[in-house]
Amino acid sequence: MKTQISQEVKELILEKITAARNITLIGHSSPDGDAVGSCLGLSQFIPQDKNISVVLPDDYPHFLRWMNFQNLITIGHYEFDKSQRLLREADVIFILDFNDETRVGKLSEALSSSEAFKVMIDHHQHPKDHADVIISNTASCSTAQMVYDFAEEMGFVNRLNKDIAACLYTGIVTDSGSFKFPSTSARTHEVVGKLMETGLESSEIQQKIFDQNSLDRLMMLGYVLNEKMEVFQDYGASIMTFDQADKDNYNFKTGDTEGFVNYPLSVKGINFSAFISEKEGMTRISFRSKGNLHVNEFAKEYFHGGGHINAAGGRSELSVEETKAKIKELLPKLDSYIK
């Protein structure tokens, strides 16, 4: 379903953009292809007579570093003061691919206290009311797809070119699981068709995203699947762990474990997968599921998290092994999250 915006809201946004001098776009912590692609793509749809910046709370994977416009990005982990200043001095802030200010970590206070006019564009369930305009479409496969819809609605789509299309395609293909997730719709393929009309080579971009593995990463994947994955056939579940010692042993780089959580779902009968890892002294969990198993609600209830029905995240104050033990104890409850 196409994301639609009322005429009143379109006029308000256009008025604020026209009057603005400084416009900042911000994505969520642990930025993925959708967050980065949406921010970079939308940055170029906006009229270019503005001071445009992109803020990401922390670093993003190396396999996303081929996109253009990355000179606009400031990473909060490395340039915290500058990131705060960009949020504080912004006249308009676009909040992309998250719907809760806590998803930007240490930048949450700067974001919430900014006096900028805020526009949220996001496809996650249960959006919180923390923006002046909330554009939410939980039926969309990605925020990048919504950014294209936004550009159409606002009359900005005539600025679409091959470089912008590459950013949006990256967001769409990564968040849709290369078009295999249930959220992939006729509208998704319609938008991709429009992107490809710019001369976009989809196979080339897929190679840049998915075929840039280091030997360390492949060895890491083999180790996790062989040594750190436990399967619970009675519950159709799998749990994997990856702690700091494992990261040190395999020369871990940001983004190296991206997608690992999906592998157990390729096993017949497995409908739930959890990947537990350490990041900056905190235990993080990625959840994935198949069918009508709502892992977003599971993550919200037990692990301070949320997300999509079949893809969610959370965190734990316990150690990696203690978190694994807690999830194991909760496996009998999974049936209650099938809706």
Side-chain angles (χ1 to χ4, degrees):
M1 181 177 68
K2 180 180 178 180
T3 306
Q4 297 182 323
I5 309 171
S6 71
Q7 186 62 34
E8 180 183 2
V9 170
K10 284 190 283 188
E11 290 175 357
L12 176 61
I13 294 173
L14 190 57
E15 174 189 329
K16 295 296 184 180
I17 290 176
T18 301
R21 179 181 179 185
N22 302 316
I23 297 178
T24 296
L25 304 92
I26 183 168
H28 55 73
S29 296
S30 301
D32 56 9
D34 196 21
V36 179
S38 295
C39 286
L40 293 179
L42 182 54
S43 75
Q44 302 305 298
F45 278 132
I46 297 169
Q48 298 296 292
D49 59 342
K50 313 295 178 183
N51 296 322
I52 300 171
S53 58
V54 172
V55 171
L56 299 176
D58 44 24
D59 212 348
Y60 55 104
H62 66 90
F63 59 80
L64 299 175
R65 295 183 179 276
W66 53 269
M67 285 181 280
N68 286 325
F69 322 123
Q70 296 191 51
N71 60 299
L72 299 176
I73 295 176
T74 298
I75 297 174
H77 180 76
Y78 304 124
E79 298 181 274
F80 187 67
D81 290 343
K82 181 181 178 182
S83 299
Q84 286 186 305
R85 176 175 57 80
L86 290 171
L87 293 170
R88 184 174 61 249
E89 296 179 355
D91 301 303
V92 174
I93 295 176
F94 283 96
I95 297 167
L96 299 176
D97 202 36
F98 67 97
N99 57 23
D100 185 332
E101 289 174 343
T102 62
R103 290 286 284 114
V104 295
K106 295 178 181 179
L107 291 174
S108 59
E109 184 177 350
L111 176 59
S112 62
S113 63
S114 173
E115 297 181 359
F117 180 79
K118 299 170 186 173
V119 180
M120 186 192 82
I121 304 176
D122 181 61
H123 67 135
H124 295 87
Q125 283 84 4
H126 313 302
K128 292 194 174 181
D129 186 11
H130 68 111
D132 297 285
V133 170
I134 296 176
I135 302 172
S136 174
N137 184 357
T138 59
S140 179
C141 79
S142 61
T143 297
Q145 179 178 315
M146 293 181 66
V147 167
Y148 180 89
D149 290 343
F150 177 80
E152 275 197 345
E153 291 284 290
M154 296 298 299
F156 296 159
V157 79
N158 62 309
R159 299 190 178 104
L160 180 66
N161 58 36
K162 186 177 177 179
D163 291 333
I164 297 174
C167 296
L168 299 185
Y169 183 87
T170 297
I172 292 171
V173 77
T174 52
D175 244 36
S176 68
S178 296
F179 311 110
K180 72 179 182 181
F181 294 162
S183 56
T184 303
S185 64
R187 178 60 181 168
T188 304
H189 291 292
E190 182 182 355
V191 170
V192 168
K194 296 291 186 182
L195 300 181
M196 293 185 69
E197 287 176 3
T198 66
L200 178 76
E201 292 288 345
S202 61
S203 60
E204 178 182 336
I205 293 178
Q206 295 233 20
Q207 288 174 4
K208 288 178 178 178
I209 298 171
F210 300 114
D211 297 338
Q212 299 296 322
N213 288 314
S214 66
L215 181 58
D216 283 332
R217 183 178 188 272
L218 286 181
M219 298 292 287
M220 190 186 307
L221 174 61
Y223 166 73
V224 170
L225 294 177
N226 192 49
E227 301 290 341
K228 306 302 290 282
M229 179 176 72
E230 192 169 355
V231 173
F232 306 88
Q233 293 284 1
D234 290 347
Y235 302 108
S238 169
I239 304 174
M240 295 183 287
T241 61
F242 196 70
D243 57 26
Q244 188 59 51
D246 296 327
K247 287 184 175 184
D248 295 340
N249 287 338
Y250 284 91
N251 193 28
F252 174 84
K253 295 180 177 59
T254 299
D256 274 352
T257 56
E258 187 80 19
F260 282 17
V261 67
N262 296 313
Y263 279 88
L265 296 181
S266 66
V267 177
K268 185 177 180 180
I270 300 300
N271 300 309
F272 171 90
S273 175
F275 182 84
I276 310 166
S277 63
E278 285 185 72
K279 183 179 180 181
E280 298 176 357
M282 178 64 71
T283 300
R284 304 284 183 175
I285 316 111
S286 293
F287 297 103
R288 296 293 185 272
S289 68
K290 293 190 293 191
N292 295 318
L293 177 53
H294 290 226
V295 288
N296 56 335
E297 296 183 11
F298 180 85
K300 181 180 180 180
E301 184 163 355
Y302 297 109
F303 296 101
H304 317 286
H308 302 292
I309 292 172
N310 299 120
R315 68 182 190 277
S316 170
E317 291 78 21
L318 304 173
S319 70
V320 168
E321 287 302 316
E322 289 169 336
T323 300
K324 178 182 177 180
K326 180 177 178 179
I327 295 175
K328 287 172 68 173
E329 291 177 359
L330 292 170
L331 291 180
K333 298 180 181 290
L334 287 179
D335 283 349
S336 65
Y337 294 93
I338 299 175
K339 306 295 175 72

